[in-house]
Every structure is written in structure tokens, then in C-alpha cells.
Amino acid sequence: MKQRLLAIFYFYLSIAIFGGVFSVAIWWALEMPIDEKFQVFFPLYLLAKIFLMQ
């Protein structure tokens, strides 16, 4: 049971990392500003993305 849960966790973790990197790449490609507001927004965005992916 523990191995199964770890497998599920690592699967979703890999998706979350890919999604976060993809989002940052799109943000950069659209030349959106990266300033203090972005540094506050980005960690919260990644947490929301992780929780909403399931």
C-alpha cells in the first residue's frame, strides 16, 4: 500500500513540476513582468496548481 501511494505521489509531483516549468516558460515568452509581485505570486500559484491537479 505504501509503495502504491509513493508511486502516485511521484507521478503527480512530476506533473506538477512540468506544469510549473511550462507556466513560467509561457510567462517569460509573453514578456510578462518579473518583479516583487511575481515573487510573491509564483509560490502561491504553484501550490494552487499542485492542489487543483488532483
Side-chain angles (χ1 to χ4, degrees):
M1 180 72 171
K2 185 177 179 181
Q3 289 178 336
R4 186 179 213 178
L5 289 175
L6 282 174
I8 292 170
F9 172 76
Y10 286 123
F11 172 75
Y12 281 112
L13 182 64
S14 66
I15 290 175
I17 290 171
F18 174 75
V21 169
F22 184 74
S23 297
V24 170
I26 296 297
W27 187 278
W28 179 76
L30 294 175
E31 298 179 359
M32 301 301 282
I34 298 178
D35 55 2
E36 307 87 39
K37 292 179 184 179
F38 180 76
Q39 293 175 359
V40 172
F41 164 76
F42 186 64
L44 297 174
Y45 169 75
L46 287 180
L47 286 174
K49 192 167 191 68
I50 289 170
F51 287 118
L52 294 174
M53 283 182 121
Q54 298 177 5

